[in-house]
Amino acid sequence: MNRSIQTVEDVLTLLDALFEERADRWTDRGGAAWWDRFYADRGRGVPFFADAPEESLVGWVDAGDLPVGPGTRVLELGCGPGRNAVWLARRGAHVDALDLSEEALAWGRERAAEAGVDVRFVRSDIFAWSGGEEPYDLVLDSGCFHHLPPHRRISYRALLERSVRPGGSFALTCFAAGAMGCEDPDEALYRDGGLGGGLAYSAQELRATFGWLTEIELRRMRAQPEGSGLFGEPFLWTGLFRR
Ligand SMILES: C[S@@+](CC[C@H](N)C(=O)[O-])C[C@H]1O[C@@H](n2cnc3c(N)ncnc32)[C@H](O)[C@@H]1O
């Protein structure tokens, strides 16, 4: 059908397709195939390949700002090889962990088996997920949001609205403008094509996007000493919000 646009979702899907075309052509961070290639060599020194949970996540849980224990329901968006998902499962949480990349999920399943915990790793686009029987206590995103094209911020808000229970939490880690990521304005991304390896956000931009939630903390991640067992990179924002 040549005249396929009837709904907002049709427009969003069309824009996705345009970005994905670019992703293949320019090897930008795009679809599942790109991410499968990215994870194929586990020996590369990619910081988040380390099996270490975020310093912020661990800090919030330890401080009691983020209650996690037996029965806590967690949804992780773009879980990669599952370092946060497995840590949360060790605390007793039921974790649904979504990612586009089967390579990443296979690695995550191995880590969960080694740790002796159950994590429901699912190959799914975050926007296609409908398996959560009820809203979650915590929705967590470390490094997925900044790889979404601008128009998908609309879908992302709808996803949080249906996935975070009232009183539940949303934890986000993403590129900090001035330190990492592409700073081109949204409009330029559509004109020039691609996401430049991931979008940089200022604190003001994050507050504009997530201001409908209550901010508990938004700060730069803290670098961690060797051997701490925690992940922390100062070029990232880390934030905790309450619905
Ligand atoms: C920078 S990696 C971070 C992985 C993991 N959260 C971590 O910190 O170790 C971003 C992940 O998001 C996934 N991803 C990107 N867009 C996605 C989408 N629309 N649906 C599901 N996963 C997605 C990628 O496959 C990739 O594994």
Side-chain angles (χ1 to χ4, degrees):
M1 189 161 71
N2 287 339
R3 305 285 161 254
S4 56
I5 303 288
Q6 305 295 340
T7 67
V8 171
E9 191 53 39
D10 291 339
V11 176
L12 299 178
T13 304
L14 171 71
L15 291 172
D16 281 346
L18 295 176
F19 265 90
E20 271 158 33
E21 228 174 74
R22 302 275 187 175
D24 283 339
R25 204 175 309 152
W26 305 110
T27 63
D28 196 354
R29 298 177 185 202
W34 191 94
W35 285 106
D36 278 340
R37 285 195 297 277
F38 182 81
Y39 289 114
D41 177 5
R42 298 182 185 182
R44 294 188 302 132
V46 177
F48 69 83
F49 280 11
D51 192 5
E54 321 250 298
E55 56 84 5
S56 43
L57 176 68
V58 173
W60 293 322
V61 172
D62 286 351
D65 290 329
L66 185 58
V68 173
T72 305
R73 289 171 41 74
V74 178
L75 176 65
E76 184 167 10
L77 306 173
C79 62
R83 57 198 179 82
N84 290 312
V86 168
W87 184 82
L88 288 160
R90 288 181 116 128
R91 311 269 317 194
H94 294 294
V95 187
D96 290 341
L98 312 180
D99 205 282
L100 290 174
S101 164
E102 194 48 59
E103 278 287 332
L105 296 168
W107 191 358
R109 288 186 193 103
E110 285 171 35
R111 282 180 171 170
E114 276 160 28
V117 294
D118 280 331
V119 171
R120 177 154 65 147
F121 284 105
V122 184
R123 179 162 191 260
S124 174
D125 186 289
I126 57 170
F127 302 118
W129 172 245
S130 59
E133 292 76 18
E134 53 190 89
Y136 294 86
D137 301 304
L138 167 65
V139 173
L140 172 73
D141 179 326
S142 178
C144 182
F145 172 73
H146 60 214
H147 290 302
L148 300 176
H151 58 278
R152 282 295 169 191
R153 274 178 227 132
I154 298 166
S155 316
Y156 198 88
R157 176 169 175 156
L159 168 62
L160 292 184
E161 283 175 344
R162 66 178 179 269
S163 303
V164 183
R165 70 163 172 78
S169 304
F170 166 58
L172 174 74
T173 296
C174 72
F175 289 155
M180 185 68 92
C182 169
E183 307 213 7
D184 294 352
D186 284 350
E187 184 203 328
L189 303 173
Y190 291 92
R191 205 180 325 102
D192 304 336
L195 296 176
L199 302 184
Y201 284 86
S202 66
Q204 191 188 11
E205 287 160 349
L206 291 177
R207 289 186 173 117
T209 303
F210 299 110
W212 60 280
L213 297 164
T214 302
E215 181 181 319
I216 306 299
E217 184 171 41
L218 181 62
R219 63 165 170 83
R220 296 290 276 274
M221 270 196 143
R222 297 181 186 122
Q224 298 300 301
E226 248 334 280
S228 71
L230 298 175
F231 172 89
E233 292 288 351
F235 59 79
L236 296 165
W237 290 113
T238 191
L240 179 65
F241 302 84
R242 196 91 71 221
R243 179 162 184 207

